[in-house]
Each structure stands twice: as structure tokens, then as C-alpha cells.
């Protein structure tokens, strides 16, 4: 085991493949310090960089960060514009580091609502990083899970209309290929900071079998230590995917995939 895993007391075999984070509490962090809310978002970007780097070192396959929800458009114009400026800045400032760290960048969400410059910065980075094979970093922007599912339903209907897909052939896997997260492993772990215990329209389909973790610290105070503690907690949980504890114990290598038929159960190998 390499030094990193030893230092953090992490078992690389028992880590999640895909982690989603609801980065909550930036506003409260700032207000508690009598700072404008945007100061909390700025601090939040520092945490984004730190936690992304940690995820790279852990060898996670994917990290999805909830940066701006569909509902966040309802915030005061000043805050929306400050958040968009920060995202614009992030896409420019972090480009080189993303490419150097073999990270594959992806934007998920309703692209139609984004300004053309943010969209073109993000699209360029997606293209430039498309052959990277390390961490898949997804930034959820103008994102809402229900909206994403509806977009996927529309894509499926278009394929049915054009004769590319027969309705009878539509299964979970085919449907997933039409989500913004197509090709990524399903979400194993969702973290929400700042003490709220809500899902807030985040990766509803992808996190159907995820383990949830609610951290009381606000996102600007979320440290590598806290992340490592939650990852250790994750590693100790028994994920049964509908099976009995006895069945799980009989398969010590683990079956890290959900499955809904006994036939598939015996053929799916753990990853
Ligand atoms: C929730 O805190 C946080 C947001 C709505 C924005 C999150 C954005 C960032 C961390 C920075 C940009 C992200 C990237 C990927 C560069 P809140 O404002 O709702 O906090 P509150 O609940 O305390 O008001």
C-alpha cells in the first residue's frame, strides 16, 4: 500500500468509485464572519481544489460537485452573477492543473441556461481533457436531477421515433446512457456538508443505492481529514444491494454492483 493510503489509513480496495458532494453552507460560513456571501463561495472554490486533489490521490473514478442548482437561479441577481464569475474564473485558472493531473472534466446540467462564454470554456475543457484517464470530475451547473431525467426521456423518445430504439429494448442501462452522467459508474457515496439532511434534486437516479453522509461543517471548512474520516466510515459499511447479510458474507470479494435478478447476481463480478 502506498504512503498516501497509509498516511490516511484508507483501504484502496474499499473506496467508493463515484462520490457526489452537495457543497452546502458557503453563505452561512460567510455570514457568521460578517462577510458578504460571495466570500463563502470564494473560500468554497479553495475547498473544491483541495478535495479534487485528494480524490485524485485516492484514485476515485468520479467526483461530482453540485456547484449551482436549477433552483439557484432564483437567488438575488448579484449572487448569481458573482457565482457565475467564480465559475468562469475557475474554468480558466484550473484548466492547466486539470489537464496535468490527467482529470477528465465534464459539465452536467441544463446547458441551455448558461451564458455562452461559460459554456464555451467548459466545452473546450471537456474536449481538451476527453482522452484523460484519471478522475472524472463532473461539475453540476444549472443542474437538477428531475430536469436531467426529463432530458434523458426526451432523448429516448427521439431514438424511438427515429427507429434507433425499440421501446421493449429500453432497460436501466440503456436509459442511463442518456443521462448527463453517461458512462460514469453509479454514485456510491453522497456527502452533504453544513448539517442539512436533504437530497435537493441531486443525482436521484445515479445515487439510488448510494450511502449518504451528512457532515455538520460548512463546505468552506470541509477538510481532507473530514473527507478521509467519511471515506473510512464508507469502507466499513456493508452494502447489500437487496441481499441478506449471509449472502454478502458468502461473497467476501464483494459485489459492488446493484443487480435485480438472481441470474445476473451470479454472473456479476465485484470491482
Ligand atoms: C451552497 O451554499 C453552495 C452553492 C450554492 C455554491 C457552491 C459553489 C462553490 C463551492 C464554488 C464554485 C464551484 C466550483 C466547482 C468552482 P449556500 O450558499 O446555499 O450556503 P447557505 O445554505 O449557508 O446559504
Amino acid at each position: 500500500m502506498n504512503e498516501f493510503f497509509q498516511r490516511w489509513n484508507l483501504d484502496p480496495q474499499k473506496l467508493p468509485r463515484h462520490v457526489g458532494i452537495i457543497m452546502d453552507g458557503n453563505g452561512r460560513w460567510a455570514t457568521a464572519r460578517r462577510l458578504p456571501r460571495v466570500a463563502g463561495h470564494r473560500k468554497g472554490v479553495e475547498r473544491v481544489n483541495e478535495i479534487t486533489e485528494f480524490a485524485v490521490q485516492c484514485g476515485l473514478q468520479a467526483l461530482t460537485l453540485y456547484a449551482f442548482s436549477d433552483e439557484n437561479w432564483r437567488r438575488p441577481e448579484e449572487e448569481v452573477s458573482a457565482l457565475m464569475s467564480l465559475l468562469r474564473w475557475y474554468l480558466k485558472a484550473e484548466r492547466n492543473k486539470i489537464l496535468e493531473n490527467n482529470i477528465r472534466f465534464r459539465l452536467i446540467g441544463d446547458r441551455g441556461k448558461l451564458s455562452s462564454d461559460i459554456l464555451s470554456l467548459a466545452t473546450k475543457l471537456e474536449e481538451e481533457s476527453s482522452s484523460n484517464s484519471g478522475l472524472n470530475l463532473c461539475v453540476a451547473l444549472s443542474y437538477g436531477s428531475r430536469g436531467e431525467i426529463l432530458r434523458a426521456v426526451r432523448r429516448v423518445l427521439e431514438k424511438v421515433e427515429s427507429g434507433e430504439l425499440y421501446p421493449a429494448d429500453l432497460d436501466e442501462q440503456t436509459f442511463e446512457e442518456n443521462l448527463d452522467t453517461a458512462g460514469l459508474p453509479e454514485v456510491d457515496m453522497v456527502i452533504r456538508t453544513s448539517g442539512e439532511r436533504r437530497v435537493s434534486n441531486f443525482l436521484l437516479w445515479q445515487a439510488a443505492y448510494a450511502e449518504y453522509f451528512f457532515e455538520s461543517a460548512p463546505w468552506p471548512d470541509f477538510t481532507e481529514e473530514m473527507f478521509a474520516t467519511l471515506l473510512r466510515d464508507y469502507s466499513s459499511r456493508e452494502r447489500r444491494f437487496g441481499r441478506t447479510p449471509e449472502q454478502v458474507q458468502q461473497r467476501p470479494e464483494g459485489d459492488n454492483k446493484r443487480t435485480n435478478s438472481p441470474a445476473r447476481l451470479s454472473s456479476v463480478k465485484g470491482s
Side-chain angles (χ1 to χ4, degrees):
M1 211 190 290
N2 80 23
E3 213 180 288
F4 173 84
F5 294 105
Q6 267 172 3
R7 177 177 165 214
W8 293 101
N9 193 18
L10 292 170
D11 180 348
Q13 304 302 320
K14 291 186 176 169
L15 291 178
R17 292 160 301 172
H18 188 166
V19 176
I21 306 186
I22 304 175
M23 308 180 290
D24 198 10
N26 294 351
R28 275 165 286 170
W29 181 91
T31 306
R33 286 160 182 76
R34 297 171 190 270
L35 295 168
R37 290 176 58 86
V38 66
H41 298 315
R42 247 183 249 125
K43 200 78 188 161
V45 180
E46 289 175 24
R47 292 289 91 80
V48 164
N49 293 335
E50 206 174 280
I51 295 304
T52 302
E53 230 166 84
F54 197 81
V56 167
Q57 296 201 63
C58 283
L60 301 189
Q61 289 183 40
L63 175 69
T64 298
L65 301 172
Y66 207 177
F68 192 89
S69 72
D70 248 352
E71 291 76 22
N72 286 152
W73 290 113
R74 299 185 195 137
R75 292 201 173 187
E77 206 188 313
E78 197 185 311
E79 183 169 340
V80 170
S81 147
L83 268 167
M84 290 300 150
S85 298
L86 262 180
L87 285 156
R88 196 176 282 114
W89 177 87
Y90 169 84
L91 290 168
K92 289 180 191 164
E94 294 305 312
R95 176 185 166 273
N96 287 347
K97 214 193 304 161
I98 286 175
L99 297 176
E100 281 160 16
N101 279 311
N102 196 24
I103 293 172
R104 188 169 183 181
F105 177 84
R106 187 189 300 204
L107 196 75
I108 62 170
D110 184 354
R111 291 172 177 250
K113 288 193 188 148
L114 298 174
S115 70
S116 58
D117 66 326
I118 291 190
L119 196 55
S120 73
L121 282 168
T123 310
K124 188 163 164 260
L125 191 49
E126 283 176 334
E127 286 165 5
E128 287 176 320
S129 65
S130 63
S131 56
N132 286 352
S133 56
L135 177 77
N136 285 281
L137 174 64
C138 296
V139 172
L141 190 55
S142 189
Y143 178 84
S145 193
R146 289 180 176 175
E148 180 197 22
I149 291 170
L150 279 178
R151 282 194 299 280
V153 169
R154 266 183 229 118
R155 283 181 201 131
V156 166
L157 290 176
E158 279 161 19
K159 286 176 187 170
V160 168
E161 213 168 45
S162 71
E164 198 186 315
L165 180 73
Y166 288 110
D169 289 338
L170 181 64
D171 56 13
E172 291 184 10
Q173 201 184 331
T174 315
F175 186 74
E176 278 164 7
E177 285 159 13
N178 293 279
L179 290 169
D180 295 355
T181 51
L184 299 178
E186 70 175 87
V187 176
D188 295 312
M189 175 183 199
V190 174
I191 299 171
R192 182 175 191 139
T193 57
S194 210
E196 311 285 354
R197 288 165 180 260
R198 282 191 292 274
V199 175
S200 297
N201 207 8
F202 184 54
L203 303 173
L204 299 179
W205 176 286
Q206 298 89 336
Y209 276 87
E211 299 289 324
Y212 279 77
F213 295 82
F214 299 98
E215 168 64 52
S216 57
W219 177 248
D221 287 339
F222 188 70
T223 59
E224 292 173 327
E225 282 83 359
M226 291 173 188
F227 193 18
T229 302
L230 297 183
L231 287 169
R232 282 194 293 274
D233 185 347
Y234 171 89
S235 302
S236 71
R237 291 195 188 180
E238 183 179 72
R239 303 187 72 206
R240 295 203 290 270
F241 299 96
R243 288 170 289 143
T244 65
E246 291 73 27
Q247 283 176 303
V248 175
Q249 273 143 34
Q250 277 159 21
R251 295 176 56 84
E253 79 277 20
D255 180 349
N256 219 2
K257 285 193 174 98
R258 80 184 132 87
T259 178
N260 46 19
S261 82
R264 274 188 68 202
L265 185 64
S266 56
S267 65
V268 174
K269 271 262 172 282
S271 56

